[in-house]
């Protein structure tokens, strides 16, 4: 069967990565979590001391960009590819609230976007990719055969993300998670470069009242229809 590219965009914490992962597994496609790449660059800026309570030394980050290595790679312990920053696996660290609190600021820097978008397009060249993010259908892969735009009620999203973080053993409050996702939605939708937008040809999935299985079946039907027509 012919392979297609699938772009999944939408608001913070609305289950994009869960759906993308399920689809990739079912179809034997490669899943690319573009948000993890922005989070890894943000982690680097935090570790380098360029993000302060009252500012961001963006020029230092921009100057260092050619030397920051962000990639998905396997680890000896894990079978699947995970995000690496300068050769180290950082999946757990990038999910911390200190990264979530600053990632939209870093993702608004045009030089950061240019670097990551180029890497993302390279990874999708051979097709058979499910990529999730904010600008995949509009900017990274405007020719993707199938584009989904996901949304859900903000409080439902906050509760889901809060449970996820708690399960990972992180110290957070529901209120902090809720405020963070509203703030990121606002910053991601209003930035100058490649803001979060629904592509004109995207199919909207509001999963406020959908089960994971219901959402997956809906998306899988769309993939099958699209693949037949491709
Ligand atoms: O927390 P959630 O899973 O919703 O977000 P994420 O996919 O991990 O993305 C984290 C942040 O990276 C977003 O809030 C955006 O600021 C940025 N991002 C972006 O600007 N463009 C993308 N294609 C993906 C993420």
């Amino acid at each position: 069967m012919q392979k297609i590219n699938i772009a999944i965009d939408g608001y913070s914490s609305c289950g994009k990565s869960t759906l993308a992962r399920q689809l990739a597994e079912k179809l034997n496609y490669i899943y690319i979590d573009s948000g993890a790449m922005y989070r890894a660059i943000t982690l680097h800026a935090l570790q380098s001391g360029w993000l302060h309570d009252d500012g961001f030394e963006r020029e230092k980050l921009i100057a260092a960009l050619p030397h920051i290595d962000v990639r998905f790679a396997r680890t000896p312990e894990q079978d699947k590819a995970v995000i690496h920053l300068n050769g180290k696996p950082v999946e757990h660290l990038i999910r911390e609230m200190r990264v979530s609190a600053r990632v939209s600021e870093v993702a608004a820097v045009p030089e950061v976007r240019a670097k990551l978008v180029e890497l993302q397009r390279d990874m999708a060249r051979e097709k058979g990719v499910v990529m999730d993010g904010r600008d995949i259908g509009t900017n990274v892969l405007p020719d993707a055969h199938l584009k989904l735009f996901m949304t859900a009620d903000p409080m439902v999203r906050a509760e889901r993300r809060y449970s996820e973080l708690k399960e990972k053993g992180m110290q957070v409050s529901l209120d902090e998670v809720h405020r963070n996702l509203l703030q990121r939605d606002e910053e991601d939708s209003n930035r100058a470069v490649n803001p979060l937008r629904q592509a004109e040809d995207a199919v909207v999935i509001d999963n406020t009242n959908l089960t994971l299985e219901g959402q997956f079946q809906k998306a899988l039907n769309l993939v099958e229809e699209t693949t037949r027509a491709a």
Side-chain angles (χ1 to χ4, degrees):
M1 191 127 82
Q2 193 186 335
K3 291 203 169 191
I4 61 168
N5 278 337
I6 305 170
I8 307 184
D9 289 300
Y11 295 101
S12 301
S13 318
C14 61
K16 299 181 296 289
S17 64
T18 307
L19 178 63
R21 212 173 265 123
Q22 284 173 318
L23 286 174
E25 188 165 324
K26 173 80 185 176
L27 301 163
N28 207 8
Y29 277 20
I30 294 168
Y31 165 51
I32 295 163
D33 176 355
S34 70
M37 302 169 79
Y38 290 95
R39 287 173 176 272
I41 300 268
T42 307
L43 178 66
H44 185 83
L46 281 165
Q47 289 175 337
S48 306
W50 301 329
L51 281 163
H52 315 285
D53 287 348
D54 52 357
F56 169 21
E57 293 177 79
R58 55 166 58 210
E59 294 312 323
K60 290 198 179 157
L61 174 62
I62 293 168
L65 276 175
H67 314 291
I68 305 176
D69 181 44
V70 170
R71 68 176 69 218
F72 294 95
R74 289 179 204 286
T75 62
E77 299 81 42
Q78 273 162 308
D79 185 33
K80 58 175 196 220
V82 294
I83 188 81
H84 282 62
L85 169 64
N86 296 331
K88 295 206 182 81
V90 289
E91 170 58 34
H92 192 75
L93 288 174
I94 61 163
R95 305 295 162 193
E96 288 181 355
M97 283 308 285
R98 65 188 184 118
V99 173
S100 302
R102 304 304 290 271
V103 61
S104 292
E105 228 173 303
V106 172
V109 176
E111 290 83 353
V112 169
R113 303 203 71 78
K115 176 184 171 93
L116 296 187
V117 168
E118 193 185 330
L119 291 172
Q120 290 153 7
R121 287 187 182 143
D122 265 359
M123 290 187 278
R125 195 147 288 146
E126 305 293 319
K127 308 264 186 324
V129 157
V130 189
M131 196 180 297
D132 79 328
R134 302 292 186 285
D135 63 336
I136 310 305
T138 51
N139 173 53
V140 180
L141 305 176
D143 297 331
H145 299 79
L146 177 63
K147 300 179 185 178
L148 302 176
F149 189 86
M150 293 178 60
T151 180
D153 175 78
M155 201 60 208
V156 170
R157 292 193 264 137
E159 277 163 3
R160 288 178 187 158
R161 178 56 53 94
Y162 172 73
S163 319
E164 240 173 64
L165 293 173
K166 280 290 190 193
E167 247 168 58
K168 289 183 180 162
M170 297 195 192
Q171 289 296 319
V172 278
S173 70
L174 176 60
D175 184 50
E176 190 184 0
V177 172
H178 186 224
R179 276 187 286 120
N180 175 254
L181 67 88
L182 292 182
Q183 165 142 14
R184 281 197 287 134
D185 285 352
E186 152 89 23
E187 282 184 44
D188 294 343
S189 305
N190 292 307
R191 67 174 169 236
V193 187
N194 310 137
L196 166 63
R197 289 266 182 287
Q198 182 190 321
E200 272 175 25
D201 48 352
V203 179
V204 178
I205 299 185
D206 181 331
N207 65 20
T208 309
N209 298 307
L210 281 179
T211 60
L212 277 185
E213 184 53 28
Q215 161 177 290
F216 176 56
Q217 281 309 329
K218 195 172 172 147
L220 198 56
N221 290 342
L222 288 166
V223 172
E224 281 165 2
E225 265 170 41
T226 311
T227 308
R228 270 197 299 273

